[in-house]
Amino acid sequence: MALSKYVIAAMAFALGCQPAQLAAQNEGFPYVSDLTNPGRPLVVEKDQIISFEELPSAFTHAVTLMGRDGIAYVSRNGRFVMRGVIFDSWTGQTIQTMQELRGAKKTVDLSELGLRDEDVDPMYYGSGLKKVTLFVDPLCPFCAQLFDQLVADPRYERDYTFVIYTVPFLGEESTKAVTVLSCAPNREEAKRALLTHDRRWMKTQPAPDHCDPQPILQRTILSQMLGVTGVPYLIGAEGGIARGLPADLRGFLATN
């Protein structure tokens, strides 16, 4: 099994899956209007989706209107305005205020996605009680600066467990580096090379005879689903998000 069925179903629709493709999958689909259907399960079966149409312009802005309750959503070109309930299928939260929407944008709880280590094959650094998620590219200079800070201060390793997802953001060479790290027979040596940004090690490792590409693919899909557009991308122990290297790493980890 790759990512959880619940997540894959949501992604299929969000990424523009056609109706025929949806019909071919025996998956559920998150329900988007629980307030108008009290007591109904928050999953719609595939045969309940009777039509599907991709909109010409994505809804990119949320606004509040004078004299009206709730939130309206405006398309990128300004043509379409949508009002109604928005449902966060990852957390089960119905979002009705701008404050709730801003909170949802700033936090993410990966435990809701049903991820398994064998599906995404992360690396781990540290043994602390607080779990922090990192999306990194092995060749990313700011990721190297992040690792330098983590390795230089033993308190990070003591206080946190860092779940590290390597993803190829910087082209072909990054793809090769991610593959070498993911398929290395000695995972501790691969982790050392990542943390010390040992490019020579990554370039001189022989191509693996057998390597399952699925964990790399699943990590990449996961990063796209979370809206990771650059690295490093951090998710703190409380779900707070940092896009890029925080100016105050310890402060971010302590409060997010």
Side-chain angles (χ1 to χ4, degrees), residues 176-197:
K176 293 179 181 178
V178 168
T179 302
V180 165
L181 291 167
S182 299
C183 301
N186 188 329
R187 293 282 288 188
E188 287 302 312
E189 184 67 14
K191 182 168 66 176
R192 180 208 61 80
L194 176 65
L195 294 175
T196 60
H197 35 96

Side-chain angles (χ1 to χ4, degrees), residues 103 105-109 131 234-242 252 256:
K105 284 180 58 182
K106 292 179 180 178
T107 60
V108 61
D109 184 359
K131 183 179 290 187
L234 295 75
I235 303 175
E238 301 299 323
I241 296 171
F252 168 80
N256 289 273

Side-chain angles (χ1 to χ4, degrees), residues 33-253:
S33 186
D34 61 324
L35 290 184
T36 58
N37 293 268
R40 290 286 301 279
L42 299 180
V43 172
V44 168
E45 300 300 328
K46 65 180 187 304
D47 57 1
Q48 290 179 272
I49 301 174
I50 59 175
S51 62
F52 170 83
E53 183 67 35
E54 184 175 354
L55 295 173
S57 181
F59 285 84
T60 57
H61 293 79
V63 299
T64 53
L65 303 175
M66 186 177 298
R68 296 186 179 227
D69 296 330
I71 306 174
Y73 302 90
V74 183
S75 63
R76 183 185 299 275
N77 63 5
R79 179 180 179 184
F80 299 104
V81 177
M82 177 175 63
R83 291 184 55 81
V85 173
I86 183 171
F87 183 74
D88 187 337
S89 63
W90 295 358
T91 65
Q93 178 188 12
T94 298
I95 297 173
Q96 302 182 77
T97 68
M98 195 68 79
Q99 182 178 359
E100 291 173 344
L101 180 61
R102 287 170 178 150
K105 284 180 58 182
K106 292 179 180 178
T107 60
V108 61
D109 184 359
L110 291 181
S111 66
E112 298 288 341
L113 303 185
L115 300 175
R116 302 185 307 176
D117 276 7
E118 55 263 41
D119 297 330
V120 287
D121 194 23
M123 291 183 175
Y124 288 91
Y125 176 72
S127 57
L129 295 178
K130 297 180 179 180
K131 183 179 290 187
V132 178
T133 300
L134 309 177
F135 286 86
V136 298
D137 184 303
L139 306 186
C140 156
F142 291 106
C143 301
Q145 292 180 31
L146 170 62
F147 289 139
D148 286 345
Q149 293 186 49
L150 297 182
V151 173
D153 189 341
R155 291 177 298 174
Y156 288 120
E157 187 176 9
R158 180 196 67 198
D159 296 339
Y160 300 94
T161 295
F162 295 92
V163 184
I164 305 172
Y165 296 111
T166 54
V167 287
F169 263 81
L170 301 178
E172 184 178 351
E173 291 302 314
S174 290
T175 300
K176 293 179 181 178
V178 168
T179 302
V180 165
L181 291 167
S182 299
C183 301
N186 188 329
R187 293 282 288 188
E188 287 302 312
E189 184 67 14
K191 182 168 66 176
R192 180 208 61 80
L194 176 65
L195 294 175
T196 60
H197 35 96
D198 187 347
R199 293 193 179 195
R200 181 177 180 182
W201 184 92
M202 298 179 204
K203 289 182 178 180
T204 57
Q205 293 304 297
D209 294 331
H210 302 285
C211 181
D212 183 4
Q214 282 303 311
I216 300 174
L217 176 61
Q218 297 300 332
R219 292 197 299 268
T220 303
I221 292 174
L222 176 62
S223 70
Q224 294 172 348
M225 186 177 66
L226 294 175
V228 179
T229 56
V231 286
Y233 182 96
L234 295 75
I235 303 175
E238 301 299 323
I241 296 171
R243 294 175 172 85
L245 179 61
D248 178 6
L249 177 60
R250 182 160 289 281
F252 168 80
L253 294 177

